[in-house]
């Protein structure tokens, strides 16, 4: 990551998020037994990946753009939040198929609130432990 002036950091939300994410990544590390569940939230979609930092590879990845989730009917409440919860549940099912049951959660610099929280709750409902 390039060095950014502190005065510029306060001006951009994206740069502030990247700074928070860097701070989080100092502590959170995924292994093959307990990979890191990374969450990225854009304005329209949310995506998650299980990453083995030791082996430097992605084990499982999923987005709300996946064909299984694209035309899914959601229940009551916010559509984006419900889609994030469904995505977390589907990611957990795919992870269990690959033999992963325990993960380390990396919120990616985003607040643990709204869609990020719903994604995590869906992953827990799907059987992942973190």
């Amino acid at each position: 990551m390039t060095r950014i002036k502190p005065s510029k950091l306060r001006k951009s939300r994206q740069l502030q998020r990247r700074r928070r994410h860097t701070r989080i990544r100092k502590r959170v590390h995924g292994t093959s037994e307990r990979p890191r569940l990374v969450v990225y939230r854009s304005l329209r979609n949310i995506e998650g990946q299980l990453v083995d930092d030791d082996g430097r590879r992605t084990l499982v990845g999923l987005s709300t753009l996946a064909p299984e989730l694209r035309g899914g009917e959601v229940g009551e409440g916010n559509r984006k939040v419900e889609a994030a919860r469904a995505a977390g549940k589907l990611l957990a099912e795919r992870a269990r198929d690959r033999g992963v049951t325990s993960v380390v959660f990396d919120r990616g610099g985003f607040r643990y609130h709204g869609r990020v929280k719903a994604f995590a709750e869906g992953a827990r409902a799907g059987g992942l432990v973190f």
Side-chain angles (χ1 to χ4, degrees):
M1 193 161 111
T2 60
R3 181 98 169 119
I4 301 165
K5 291 182 184 178
S7 62
K8 295 284 185 188
L9 264 177
R10 287 189 294 271
K11 293 179 183 175
S12 170
R13 285 185 178 186
Q14 183 180 14
L15 291 177
Q16 288 176 350
R17 185 194 70 81
R18 286 176 61 194
R19 185 176 175 200
R20 284 190 303 270
H21 192 200
T22 303
R23 198 166 53 231
I24 292 166
R25 286 285 290 120
K26 288 179 186 176
R27 297 185 187 104
V28 177
H29 184 77
T31 62
S32 58
E33 295 84 31
R34 194 166 181 211
R36 179 169 53 100
L37 173 57
V38 187
V39 175
Y40 177 73
R41 176 183 57 87
S42 69
L43 290 177
R44 292 184 182 202
N45 299 297
I46 191 164
E47 51 189 70
Q49 294 180 345
L50 291 180
V51 178
D52 174 13
D53 290 319
D54 290 339
R56 294 184 178 182
R57 62 190 186 106
T58 301
L59 305 174
V60 179
L62 181 78
S63 169
T64 50
L65 293 173
E68 298 90 355
L69 299 172
R70 254 229 167 141
E73 291 296 320
V74 293
E76 306 246 342
N78 190 333
R79 285 183 167 182
K80 290 181 183 180
V81 172
E82 295 302 320
R85 187 171 284 117
K89 201 169 192 176
L90 184 59
L91 180 77
E93 291 171 8
R94 289 184 180 180
R96 282 185 309 158
D97 292 343
R98 298 207 44 155
V100 176
T101 56
S102 180
V103 297
V104 179
F105 190 69
D106 178 5
R107 59 188 173 91
F110 299 103
R111 289 191 316 174
Y112 187 77
H113 180 269
R115 289 187 283 156
V116 174
K117 184 177 179 180
F119 191 91
E121 289 171 351
R124 283 191 183 105
L128 289 181
V129 177
F130 55 96

